[in-house]
Amino acid sequence: AGVTRWRRWLDWSVSRHLRQPLASLNAPLRQALRLGAFELIVEGRPPHAAVGEAVGVTRTLLHKGAAGLANAVLRKLAREVGEDRLPRPSTGDAAEDLAIEWSHPTWLVRRWLDRWGAKETKALLAFNNEVPRYTLRSNTLRVSPEQLMERLQQLGTDPEPCRWAPEAFRVVRLAPALGLVSEGACAVQDEAALLVVHALDPQPGEAVLDGAAAPGGKAIAAAERMQNQGRVVAVDVHAGKTDLIWRASQAHGATIVAPVAADLREWETDEPFDRVLLDAPCSGTGVLAKRADLRWNRTPEEMGALAVLQRDLLAAAAAHVRPGGVLVYSTCSLEPEENEGQVEAFLAGHPEFSREPVTTVPEALRTP
């Protein structure tokens, strides 16, 4: 994960000591060089260990010549690190330099610089490169937050109460808690995702629709918040994912969750819903710290296609809200055309809807 996250910076650092393009090397050698560079530059491991392991891997997987190349390149890099003279990119393009040094796509960094400036962008880039912590949501149908806290402490996970969601805890190590996840006492869910359910604020006995439900965490959290009274319809276009939602909901005792395999844009029902959630498919630029690979799998061209999909799904979701009901639109993106832009366009085309204050989310997290 670390190598994937820091790949661009590692490649730039290694490439300066190669006579040929890094891309021309075969894959095992490229990865061995990245691993060695990661341990030297990011983790600060002793040079003899970092270089020795990378060279040993290269010799085992390839041949003596490749191992010699890895040894020469990584020893030069280790010398620069040891003498604190590792150079920084200096292309003359501020976005390109930041993107290389903080290992992000240039197009994305340029967008953020234009919107937020250098200081805020650099803070975001640094956050995205931190080793993420995991959040566990207590299943309040089975255990109280206090009981989950006690059990996590007994397992040695050093749980820390989340700042904004009192039913959730952050842990550094997830493995010791996997037994609790399997038995349905808790679920892995980011605090931000949980706050979307707080914004939805479903009440016992209500009819709730989750219009793009996979993997089901928000639908199940809604059922728990409803004390398993009412109905939660979890629609997703992928049949395999709705099966996973059903199994997860059963494991948690959230028996009011009813998964439906359908495209929300084509799904028809006469049932009106008190609350409708559309957690829309998006670029995911807000979760790059958790998804190490995602930054390399997004393109500027995708933004336009995603915006069209989000617009169509939002219109489809709105058709299922009863008069007086609530519609919540959420993404895990930071981009305005996927968030504020979508809401503004929707309200302009749907005068029967109006903004509702999000009083169930802490005031510090709300904007006008």
Side-chain angles (χ1 to χ4, degrees), residues 6-19:
W6 285 99
R7 190 179 75 191
R8 190 174 185 188
W9 171 236
L10 300 175
D11 286 359
W12 184 85
S13 300
V14 165
S15 294
R16 293 180 301 101
H17 301 296
L18 286 170
R19 294 179 180 177

Side-chain angles (χ1 to χ4, degrees), residues 91-107:
T91 65
D93 181 337
E96 180 81 358
D97 290 345
L98 270 179
I100 294 171
E101 185 171 353
W102 292 98
S103 196
H104 280 66
T106 301
W107 69 270

Side-chain angles (χ1 to χ4, degrees), residues 53-83:
E53 288 181 8
V55 171
V57 166
T58 308
R59 184 180 293 110
T60 300
L61 294 180
L62 296 172
H63 49 77
K64 188 176 180 179
L69 175 61
N71 183 63
V73 169
L74 292 176
R75 284 192 178 279
K76 290 177 183 177
L77 196 58
R79 196 174 301 118
E80 289 178 336
V81 173
E83 296 172 358

Side-chain angles (χ1 to χ4, degrees), residues 287-346:
V287 292
L288 297 185
K290 292 283 174 69
R291 291 281 308 278
D293 62 313
L294 193 59
R295 69 188 72 182
W296 311 124
N297 295 327
R298 287 286 180 258
T299 65
E301 293 73 27
E302 284 181 294
M303 293 292 185
L306 283 167
V308 171
L309 175 61
Q310 291 155 359
R311 179 200 66 198
D312 294 346
L313 286 171
L314 186 53
H320 298 292
V321 184
R322 70 161 175 80
V326 173
L327 172 62
V328 171
Y329 173 77
S330 68
T331 76
C332 53
S333 165
L334 302 177
E335 311 315 309
E337 62 265 50
E338 297 184 86
N339 294 311
E340 299 92 333
Q342 289 289 355
V343 172
E344 295 294 345
F346 173 82

Side-chain angles (χ1 to χ4, degrees), residues 30-288:
R30 284 201 308 273
Q31 293 291 52
L33 288 169
R34 287 167 176 162
L35 282 163
F38 175 75
E39 292 188 342
L40 287 168
I41 299 172
V42 180
E43 291 197 321
R45 292 193 67 189
H48 68 274
V51 176
E53 288 181 8
V55 171
V57 166
T58 308
R59 184 180 293 110
T60 300
L61 294 180
L62 296 172
H63 49 77
K64 188 176 180 179
L69 175 61
N71 183 63
V73 169
L74 292 176
R75 284 192 178 279
K76 290 177 183 177
L77 196 58
R79 196 174 301 118
E80 289 178 336
V81 173
E83 296 172 358
D84 196 24
R85 56 181 182 86
L86 192 67
R88 294 289 185 261
S90 182
T91 65
D93 181 337
E96 180 81 358
D97 290 345
L98 270 179
I100 294 171
E101 185 171 353
W102 292 98
S103 196
H104 280 66
T106 301
W107 69 270
L108 197 51
V109 173
R110 201 178 305 282
R111 285 174 64 94
W112 293 345
L113 280 173
D114 290 344
R115 198 175 344 146
W116 294 316
K119 182 178 179 181
E120 292 294 329
T121 298
K122 189 176 289 188
L124 175 59
L125 297 175
F127 174 78
N128 286 344
N129 287 340
E130 291 177 5
V131 177
R133 301 186 71 181
Y134 300 95
T135 304
L136 294 169
R137 180 195 80 239
S138 55
N139 176 4
T140 52
L141 297 178
R142 295 201 169 150
V143 298
S144 67
E146 293 76 19
Q147 289 171 325
L148 179 62
M149 175 81 160
E150 184 177 346
R151 295 186 68 180
L152 289 171
Q153 288 172 334
Q154 291 170 352
L155 292 169
T157 63
D158 296 324
E160 177 185 321
C162 283
R163 185 176 181 184
W164 308 111
E167 70 269 49
F169 302 90
R170 284 191 297 274
V171 296
V172 176
R173 296 183 303 124
L174 184 60
L178 290 179
L180 295 177
V181 175
S182 298
E183 71 179 59
C186 60
V188 181
Q189 186 172 39
D190 280 355
E191 188 176 15
L194 186 51
L195 287 173
V196 171
V197 182
H198 287 203
L200 186 67
D201 194 27
Q203 299 299 306
E206 290 185 331
V208 174
L209 171 64
D210 186 347
K218 296 181 182 68
I220 295 171
E224 293 170 6
R225 198 173 178 89
M226 295 161 67
Q227 301 169 31
N228 209 33
Q229 300 172 34
R231 176 170 163 80
V232 179
V233 178
V235 175
D236 198 84
V237 70
H238 302 290
K241 291 183 179 179
T242 53
D243 182 58
L244 292 175
I245 294 171
W246 183 84
R247 283 191 275 169
S249 62
Q250 295 302 303
H252 282 253
T255 55
I256 65 170
V257 176
V260 174
D263 187 328
L264 185 66
R265 295 169 294 181
E266 302 169 358
W267 184 59
E268 295 181 2
T269 180
D270 294 329
E271 181 180 6
F273 291 90
D274 300 289
R275 298 173 195 269
V276 176
L277 168 64
L278 179 66
D279 186 54
C282 68
S283 63
T285 56
V287 292
L288 297 185

